[in-house]
Amino acid sequence: MKTRSIFLSSIIAFMLPVFVIAQDCGYYSLTKGTKFSYQNLDAKGKVTSSSRSTCTDVVQIPAGTEYKVQVEVTDAKNNKSNHEYAMRCESGNFYVDMQNFVDPKSMESFKDMEIKVDSKDMMYPAGLAAGQALPDASITISAGSGGVNLMNMVVNITNRKVAGNESVTVPAGTFDCFKITYDVETKLMFKISTTVTEYVSYGVGNVKTETYDKKGKLMGTSLLSEISK
């Protein structure tokens, strides 16, 4: 069913690189030109796509630093798509633009409509510790025409917490990581609930991401395959 495929694509977008990286935030570092590559696997471990994220610019803003990121995704048929998003460091905290969590393909539903975006970006503190609770995040995309709202897409991220520390091995190497878990609820025509586990390493950012359905069955995995600075 095509509509359901769009929703599942928006969930798989969580396997795209989520940089938890910041300059002057006391925990991570990122410079212009840094590249992170990822392999995206299905539940059986088959590679379904790959992505490369490049930091294209580092800009000083009044409250800190903003990082602009270009993402290129290549699917199993070698079709390529691109999207951009921003991250920022403010007052020792690091924020990831929630638009990174929306698959560009799902935005085809909003083609030729007036778009309004309201979001609460995902925040990571300068220091992480096992047992720590992290703030919720969300994004609402409203589409309409002539001032009349016709469609909403909502992504809510809740119950974020640092579950512990683990050593994780991926194609790019072995990393000491913080394990962070959270719940994801995506709503458009209907609601999809998933759970995400991500592994974040000091000085690197996101190393591995696992997405599970509401029954706890693995849907897909993203693995860091290469870092280039």
Side-chain angles (χ1 to χ4, degrees):
M1 183 175 178
K2 186 175 180 180
T3 302
R4 185 172 181 83
S5 296
I6 291 174
F7 275 113
L8 290 178
S9 293
S10 70
I11 295 301
I12 298 303
F14 280 91
M15 296 188 294
L16 296 179
V18 182
F19 292 140
V20 191
I21 307 165
Q23 185 176 355
D24 301 324
C25 276
Y27 201 75
Y28 300 93
S29 63
L30 179 66
T31 58
K32 183 176 179 180
T34 299
K35 293 181 174 62
F36 287 73
S37 297
Y38 291 80
Q39 294 178 344
N40 302 317
L41 289 65
D42 63 16
K44 296 181 179 180
K46 180 181 178 180
V47 177
T48 57
S49 66
S50 62
S51 64
R52 171 171 287 187
S53 295
T54 304
C55 178
T56 58
D57 205 2
V58 180
V59 180
Q60 296 302 310
I61 57 177
T65 306
E66 181 180 72
Y67 307 87
K68 297 180 180 180
V69 179
Q70 173 85 32
V71 183
E72 181 182 76
V73 181
T74 305
D75 66 17
K77 296 182 179 180
N78 206 36
N79 297 314
K80 298 182 184 296
S81 61
N82 296 274
H83 73 278
E84 297 179 346
Y85 70 99
M87 305 176 293
R88 69 186 189 279
C89 172
E90 292 182 355
S91 302
N93 297 319
F94 192 69
Y95 297 83
V96 178
D97 186 349
M98 277 296 292
Q99 293 192 60
N100 181 53
F101 294 98
V102 178
D103 185 356
K105 291 183 179 179
S106 69
M107 293 301 294
E108 294 175 3
S109 303
F110 303 91
K111 187 178 180 180
D112 300 324
M113 295 186 185
E114 300 167 0
I115 303 295
K116 179 181 178 181
V117 178
D118 183 22
S119 66
K120 179 182 178 183
D121 291 339
M122 184 174 283
M123 187 273 276
Y124 295 81
L128 296 173
Q132 184 178 11
L134 303 177
D136 294 343
S138 64
I139 184 169
T140 299
I141 301 175
S142 302
S145 179
V148 178
N149 186 48
L150 301 175
M151 187 183 300
N152 291 322
M153 180 176 182
V154 180
V155 179
N156 288 316
I157 297 178
T158 59
N159 299 320
R160 294 178 67 219
K161 60 183 179 181
V162 183
N165 304 81
E166 291 187 21
S167 177
V168 176
T169 298
V170 294
T174 299
F175 303 87
D176 292 326
C177 299
F178 284 102
K179 178 181 179 180
I180 300 175
T181 62
Y182 50 86
D183 298 327
V184 183
E185 182 181 85
T186 302
K187 294 183 286 186
L188 187 50
M189 302 297 291
F190 52 88
K191 181 174 69 174
I192 293 180
S193 298
T194 59
T195 300
V196 172
T197 300
E198 63 179 8
Y199 297 86
V200 178
S201 179
Y202 179 90
V204 177
N206 187 288
V207 169
K208 180 180 179 180
T209 303
E210 299 168 333
T211 303
Y212 299 86
D213 66 17
K214 63 181 179 180
K215 295 182 180 180
K217 183 179 179 180
L218 181 66
M219 296 175 63
T221 306
S222 176
L223 304 175
L224 179 66
S225 58
E226 184 180 1
I227 305 173
S228 175
K229 296 185 178 182

Short mmCIF file of all heavy atoms in Angstrom, two decimals, residues 93-140:
data_model
loop_
_atom_site.label_atom_id
_atom_site.label_comp_id
_atom_site.label_asym_id
_atom_site.label_seq_id
_atom_site.Cartn_x
_atom_site.Cartn_y
_atom_site.Cartn_z
N ASN A 93 24.59 23.32 25.05
CA ASN A 93 23.70 22.26 24.59
C ASN A 93 23.75 22.18 23.07
O ASN A 93 24.00 23.17 22.39
CB ASN A 93 22.26 22.52 25.03
CG ASN A 93 22.12 22.52 26.54
OD1 ASN A 93 22.72 21.68 27.23
ND2 ASN A 93 21.33 23.43 27.07
N PHE A 94 23.49 20.97 22.55
CA PHE A 94 23.54 20.77 21.12
C PHE A 94 22.17 20.37 20.60
O PHE A 94 21.49 19.53 21.19
CB PHE A 94 24.56 19.68 20.78
CG PHE A 94 24.87 19.63 19.32
CD1 PHE A 94 25.56 20.65 18.72
CD2 PHE A 94 24.45 18.57 18.54
CE1 PHE A 94 25.84 20.63 17.36
CE2 PHE A 94 24.73 18.53 17.20
CZ PHE A 94 25.43 19.56 16.60
N TYR A 95 21.74 20.98 19.47
CA TYR A 95 20.40 20.78 18.95
C TYR A 95 20.47 20.26 17.51
O TYR A 95 21.21 20.79 16.68
CB TYR A 95 19.62 22.09 18.96
CG TYR A 95 19.40 22.67 20.34
CD1 TYR A 95 20.39 23.43 20.96
CD2 TYR A 95 18.22 22.44 21.03
CE1 TYR A 95 20.20 23.96 22.24
CE2 TYR A 95 18.01 22.97 22.31
CZ TYR A 95 19.01 23.73 22.90
OH TYR A 95 18.81 24.24 24.16
N VAL A 96 19.65 19.24 17.22
CA VAL A 96 19.54 18.70 15.87
C VAL A 96 18.18 19.10 15.31
O VAL A 96 17.15 18.88 15.94
CB VAL A 96 19.67 17.17 15.87
CG1 VAL A 96 19.50 16.62 14.46
CG2 VAL A 96 21.02 16.75 16.44
N ASP A 97 18.18 19.69 14.13
CA ASP A 97 16.96 20.11 13.44
C ASP A 97 16.04 18.90 13.24
O ASP A 97 16.42 17.91 12.63
CB ASP A 97 17.35 20.71 12.08
CG ASP A 97 16.17 21.31 11.33
OD1 ASP A 97 15.03 21.09 11.74
OD2 ASP A 97 16.43 22.00 10.32
N MET A 98 14.80 18.99 13.72
CA MET A 98 13.88 17.87 13.62
C MET A 98 13.47 17.58 12.18
O MET A 98 12.93 16.51 11.90
CB MET A 98 12.65 18.15 14.47
CG MET A 98 12.84 17.80 15.95
SD MET A 98 13.11 16.03 16.21
CE MET A 98 11.51 15.37 15.75
N GLN A 99 13.70 18.49 11.26
CA GLN A 99 13.37 18.20 9.87
C GLN A 99 14.25 17.08 9.31
O GLN A 99 13.91 16.46 8.30
CB GLN A 99 13.50 19.46 9.01
CG GLN A 99 12.45 20.50 9.35
CD GLN A 99 12.37 21.62 8.32
OE1 GLN A 99 12.10 21.37 7.15
NE2 GLN A 99 12.60 22.84 8.77
N ASN A 100 15.37 16.79 9.99
CA ASN A 100 16.20 15.65 9.61
C ASN A 100 15.46 14.34 9.81
O ASN A 100 15.82 13.32 9.23
CB ASN A 100 17.50 15.65 10.42
CG ASN A 100 18.41 14.50 10.03
OD1 ASN A 100 18.73 14.33 8.87
ND2 ASN A 100 18.81 13.70 11.00
N PHE A 101 14.42 14.32 10.64
CA PHE A 101 13.70 13.10 10.95
C PHE A 101 12.48 12.88 10.04
O PHE A 101 11.66 12.02 10.30
CB PHE A 101 13.26 13.10 12.41
CG PHE A 101 14.41 13.05 13.36
CD1 PHE A 101 14.89 14.20 13.95
CD2 PHE A 101 15.04 11.86 13.65
CE1 PHE A 101 15.98 14.17 14.80
CE2 PHE A 101 16.13 11.82 14.51
CZ PHE A 101 16.60 12.97 15.09
N VAL A 102 12.37 13.68 9.01
CA VAL A 102 11.27 13.52 8.06
C VAL A 102 11.85 13.12 6.72
O VAL A 102 12.64 13.86 6.13
CB VAL A 102 10.45 14.82 7.93
CG1 VAL A 102 9.34 14.64 6.90
CG2 VAL A 102 9.87 15.23 9.28
N ASP A 103 11.47 11.94 6.23
CA ASP A 103 11.96 11.46 4.96
C ASP A 103 11.49 12.39 3.84
O ASP A 103 10.30 12.67 3.73
CB ASP A 103 11.42 10.05 4.71
CG ASP A 103 11.97 9.41 3.45
OD1 ASP A 103 12.72 10.09 2.72
OD2 ASP A 103 11.64 8.25 3.20
N PRO A 104 12.41 12.90 3.01
CA PRO A 104 11.99 13.78 1.91
C PRO A 104 10.89 13.18 1.03
O PRO A 104 10.05 13.89 0.50
CB PRO A 104 13.29 13.99 1.12
CG PRO A 104 14.37 13.81 2.14
CD PRO A 104 13.88 12.73 3.05
N LYS A 105 10.88 11.84 0.88
CA LYS A 105 9.86 11.20 0.06
C LYS A 105 8.47 11.40 0.64
O LYS A 105 7.48 11.51 -0.09
CB LYS A 105 10.16 9.70 -0.08
CG LYS A 105 11.39 9.39 -0.92
CD LYS A 105 11.58 7.90 -1.09
CE LYS A 105 12.80 7.60 -1.94
NZ LYS A 105 13.02 6.13 -2.10
N SER A 106 8.38 11.43 1.97
CA SER A 106 7.07 11.63 2.59
C SER A 106 6.55 13.03 2.32
O SER A 106 5.33 13.27 2.36
CB SER A 106 7.15 11.38 4.09
OG SER A 106 7.91 12.38 4.74
N MET A 107 7.45 13.97 2.03
CA MET A 107 7.03 15.34 1.75
C MET A 107 6.36 15.48 0.40
O MET A 107 5.78 16.52 0.09
CB MET A 107 8.24 16.28 1.83
CG MET A 107 8.82 16.42 3.23
SD MET A 107 7.62 17.04 4.42
CE MET A 107 7.35 18.70 3.77
N GLU A 108 6.41 14.42 -0.43
CA GLU A 108 5.71 14.46 -1.70
C GLU A 108 4.20 14.62 -1.51
O GLU A 108 3.51 15.12 -2.39
CB GLU A 108 6.01 13.19 -2.50
CG GLU A 108 7.48 13.07 -2.93
CD GLU A 108 7.78 11.75 -3.62
OE1 GLU A 108 6.83 10.96 -3.80
OE2 GLU A 108 8.95 11.52 -3.96
N SER A 109 3.71 14.18 -0.34
CA SER A 109 2.28 14.33 -0.04
C SER A 109 1.88 15.79 0.06
O SER A 109 0.70 16.13 -0.07
CB SER A 109 1.94 13.62 1.28
OG SER A 109 2.31 12.26 1.23
N PHE A 110 2.87 16.68 0.30
CA PHE A 110 2.60 18.10 0.50
C PHE A 110 2.95 18.94 -0.72
O PHE A 110 3.01 20.16 -0.66
CB PHE A 110 3.40 18.62 1.71
CG PHE A 110 3.12 17.88 2.98
CD1 PHE A 110 3.88 16.78 3.36
CD2 PHE A 110 2.10 18.28 3.82
CE1 PHE A 110 3.63 16.11 4.54
CE2 PHE A 110 1.84 17.62 5.00
CZ PHE A 110 2.60 16.53 5.36
N LYS A 111 3.18 18.26 -1.85
CA LYS A 111 3.61 18.96 -3.06
C LYS A 111 2.58 20.02 -3.48
O LYS A 111 1.39 19.79 -3.47
CB LYS A 111 3.81 17.95 -4.19
CG LYS A 111 4.42 18.55 -5.44
CD LYS A 111 4.63 17.47 -6.50
CE LYS A 111 5.25 18.06 -7.76
NZ LYS A 111 5.46 17.02 -8.81
N ASP A 112 3.10 21.18 -3.83
CA ASP A 112 2.29 22.30 -4.32
C ASP A 112 1.34 22.88 -3.26
O ASP A 112 0.38 23.57 -3.60
CB ASP A 112 1.48 21.89 -5.57
CG ASP A 112 2.38 21.46 -6.71
OD1 ASP A 112 3.47 22.05 -6.87
OD2 ASP A 112 2.00 20.53 -7.44
N MET A 113 1.59 22.58 -1.99
CA MET A 113 0.77 23.13 -0.91
C MET A 113 1.57 24.18 -0.14
O MET A 113 2.79 24.25 -0.23
CB MET A 113 0.32 22.02 0.06
CG MET A 113 -0.61 20.99 -0.52
SD MET A 113 -1.20 19.85 0.78
CE MET A 113 -2.14 18.68 -0.20
N GLU A 114 0.86 25.00 0.62
CA GLU A 114 1.50 25.96 1.52
C GLU A 114 1.92 25.20 2.77
O GLU A 114 1.11 24.53 3.40
CB GLU A 114 0.52 27.08 1.87
CG GLU A 114 0.03 27.86 0.65
CD GLU A 114 -1.16 28.73 0.97
OE1 GLU A 114 -1.62 28.73 2.14
OE2 GLU A 114 -1.66 29.42 0.06
N ILE A 115 3.20 25.31 3.13
CA ILE A 115 3.76 24.52 4.23
C ILE A 115 4.08 25.41 5.44
O ILE A 115 4.66 26.49 5.29
CB ILE A 115 5.05 23.79 3.79
CG1 ILE A 115 4.77 22.90 2.58
CG2 ILE A 115 5.63 22.97 4.94
CD1 ILE A 115 3.83 21.77 2.85
N LYS A 116 3.74 24.91 6.61
CA LYS A 116 4.10 25.56 7.87
C LYS A 116 4.73 24.51 8.78
O LYS A 116 4.20 23.41 8.93
CB LYS A 116 2.88 26.17 8.56
CG LYS A 116 3.20 26.84 9.88
CD LYS A 116 1.94 27.40 10.54
CE LYS A 116 2.26 28.01 11.90
NZ LYS A 116 1.02 28.53 12.57
N VAL A 117 5.88 24.84 9.35
CA VAL A 117 6.60 23.89 10.20
C VAL A 117 6.74 24.44 11.61
O VAL A 117 7.15 25.59 11.80
CB VAL A 117 8.01 23.59 9.63
CG1 VAL A 117 8.76 22.64 10.55
CG2 VAL A 117 7.91 23.01 8.23
N ASP A 118 6.38 23.62 12.59
CA ASP A 118 6.53 23.98 14.01
C ASP A 118 7.29 22.84 14.68
O ASP A 118 6.83 21.69 14.66
CB ASP A 118 5.16 24.17 14.66
CG ASP A 118 5.26 24.60 16.12
OD1 ASP A 118 6.31 25.15 16.50
OD2 ASP A 118 4.29 24.38 16.88
N SER A 119 8.45 23.14 15.25
CA SER A 119 9.25 22.04 15.79
C SER A 119 9.92 22.41 17.11
O SER A 119 10.17 23.57 17.40
CB SER A 119 10.33 21.62 14.79
OG SER A 119 11.26 22.66 14.58
N LYS A 120 10.20 21.36 17.87
CA LYS A 120 11.02 21.45 19.08
C LYS A 120 12.21 20.52 18.82
O LYS A 120 12.08 19.30 18.84
CB LYS A 120 10.25 20.99 20.31
CG LYS A 120 11.07 21.04 21.59
CD LYS A 120 10.27 20.53 22.78
CE LYS A 120 11.12 20.53 24.06
NZ LYS A 120 10.36 19.96 25.21
N ASP A 121 13.38 21.11 18.54
CA ASP A 121 14.52 20.34 18.09
C ASP A 121 15.04 19.38 19.16
O ASP A 121 14.87 19.60 20.36
CB ASP A 121 15.64 21.27 17.64
CG ASP A 121 15.28 22.02 16.36
OD1 ASP A 121 14.39 21.54 15.62
OD2 ASP A 121 15.89 23.07 16.10
N MET A 122 15.69 18.31 18.69
CA MET A 122 16.24 17.32 19.61
C MET A 122 17.51 17.88 20.27
O MET A 122 18.44 18.30 19.59
CB MET A 122 16.56 16.03 18.88
CG MET A 122 17.04 14.92 19.79
SD MET A 122 17.23 13.33 18.92
CE MET A 122 15.53 12.82 18.78
N MET A 123 17.54 17.89 21.59
CA MET A 123 18.65 18.49 22.33
C MET A 123 19.48 17.42 23.04
O MET A 123 18.94 16.48 23.62
CB MET A 123 18.12 19.49 23.35
CG MET A 123 19.24 20.30 24.04
SD MET A 123 19.95 19.48 25.50
CE MET A 123 18.76 19.97 26.75
N TYR A 124 20.80 17.61 22.97
CA TYR A 124 21.75 16.77 23.71
C TYR A 124 22.59 17.69 24.59
O TYR A 124 23.15 18.67 24.10
CB TYR A 124 22.68 16.03 22.75
CG TYR A 124 21.99 15.02 21.87
CD1 TYR A 124 21.34 15.43 20.72
CD2 TYR A 124 22.01 13.67 22.18
CE1 TYR A 124 20.71 14.51 19.89
CE2 TYR A 124 21.39 12.74 21.36
CZ TYR A 124 20.74 13.17 20.22
OH TYR A 124 20.12 12.26 19.39
N PRO A 125 22.69 17.40 25.87
CA PRO A 125 23.53 18.22 26.75
C PRO A 125 25.00 17.97 26.47
O PRO A 125 25.38 16.97 25.84
CB PRO A 125 23.14 17.74 28.15
CG PRO A 125 22.70 16.33 27.95
CD PRO A 125 22.03 16.29 26.60
N ALA A 126 25.86 18.86 26.94
CA ALA A 126 27.30 18.74 26.72
C ALA A 126 27.85 17.45 27.30
O ALA A 126 28.77 16.85 26.76
CB ALA A 126 28.03 19.94 27.30
N GLY A 127 27.29 17.00 28.42
CA GLY A 127 27.72 15.76 29.04
C GLY A 127 26.57 14.78 29.13
O GLY A 127 25.43 15.18 29.34
N LEU A 128 26.85 13.50 28.93
CA LEU A 128 25.85 12.45 29.05
C LEU A 128 26.24 11.52 30.18
O LEU A 128 27.42 11.32 30.45
CB LEU A 128 25.72 11.66 27.75
CG LEU A 128 25.22 12.43 26.52
CD1 LEU A 128 25.32 11.55 25.27
CD2 LEU A 128 23.80 12.92 26.72
N ALA A 129 25.23 10.93 30.85
CA ALA A 129 25.49 10.01 31.96
C ALA A 129 24.40 8.96 32.00
O ALA A 129 23.23 9.25 31.70
CB ALA A 129 25.55 10.77 33.28
N ALA A 130 24.77 7.74 32.35
CA ALA A 130 23.80 6.65 32.44
C ALA A 130 22.68 7.02 33.41
O ALA A 130 22.93 7.56 34.48
CB ALA A 130 24.50 5.37 32.89
N GLY A 131 21.45 6.76 33.01
CA GLY A 131 20.30 7.06 33.82
C GLY A 131 19.72 8.44 33.60
O GLY A 131 18.66 8.78 34.14
N GLN A 132 20.38 9.24 32.80
CA GLN A 132 19.96 10.62 32.56
C GLN A 132 18.72 10.67 31.64
O GLN A 132 18.63 9.96 30.65
CB GLN A 132 21.11 11.38 31.91
CG GLN A 132 20.88 12.85 31.66
CD GLN A 132 22.12 13.50 31.07
OE1 GLN A 132 23.07 12.82 30.66
NE2 GLN A 132 22.13 14.81 31.03
N ALA A 133 17.75 11.51 31.99
CA ALA A 133 16.58 11.75 31.15
C ALA A 133 16.87 12.94 30.24
O ALA A 133 17.46 13.93 30.67
CB ALA A 133 15.36 12.02 32.00
N LEU A 134 16.46 12.84 28.97
CA LEU A 134 16.70 13.88 27.99
C LEU A 134 15.38 14.47 27.53
O LEU A 134 14.35 13.81 27.56
CB LEU A 134 17.47 13.31 26.80
CG LEU A 134 18.81 12.65 27.11
CD1 LEU A 134 19.44 12.07 25.84
CD2 LEU A 134 19.77 13.64 27.76
N PRO A 135 15.37 15.73 27.07
CA PRO A 135 14.12 16.39 26.68
C PRO A 135 13.44 15.73 25.47
O PRO A 135 14.11 15.17 24.61
CB PRO A 135 14.57 17.82 26.33
CG PRO A 135 15.89 17.99 27.00
CD PRO A 135 16.54 16.64 27.00
N ASP A 136 12.12 15.83 25.43
CA ASP A 136 11.35 15.37 24.28
C ASP A 136 11.64 16.26 23.08
O ASP A 136 12.21 17.36 23.21
CB ASP A 136 9.85 15.42 24.58
CG ASP A 136 9.44 14.44 25.67
OD1 ASP A 136 10.22 13.51 25.97
OD2 ASP A 136 8.32 14.61 26.22
N ALA A 137 11.24 15.80 21.90
CA ALA A 137 11.37 16.59 20.68
C ALA A 137 10.15 16.31 19.81
O ALA A 137 9.47 15.29 19.96
CB ALA A 137 12.65 16.22 19.93
N SER A 138 9.86 17.22 18.88
CA SER A 138 8.69 17.04 18.03
C SER A 138 8.77 17.92 16.80
O SER A 138 9.53 18.89 16.77
CB SER A 138 7.40 17.37 18.80
OG SER A 138 7.40 18.73 19.17
N ILE A 139 7.98 17.56 15.79
CA ILE A 139 7.81 18.42 14.62
C ILE A 139 6.41 18.22 14.06
O ILE A 139 5.91 17.09 14.01
CB ILE A 139 8.88 18.11 13.54
CG1 ILE A 139 8.74 19.10 12.37
CG2 ILE A 139 8.81 16.68 13.05
CD1 ILE A 139 9.90 19.04 11.39
N THR A 140 5.77 19.32 13.70
CA THR A 140 4.46 19.29 13.05
C THR A 140 4.57 20.04 11.73
O THR A 140 5.00 21.19 11.70
CB THR A 140 3.38 19.95 13.93
OG1 THR A 140 3.27 19.24 15.17
CG2 THR A 140 2.03 19.94 13.22
#
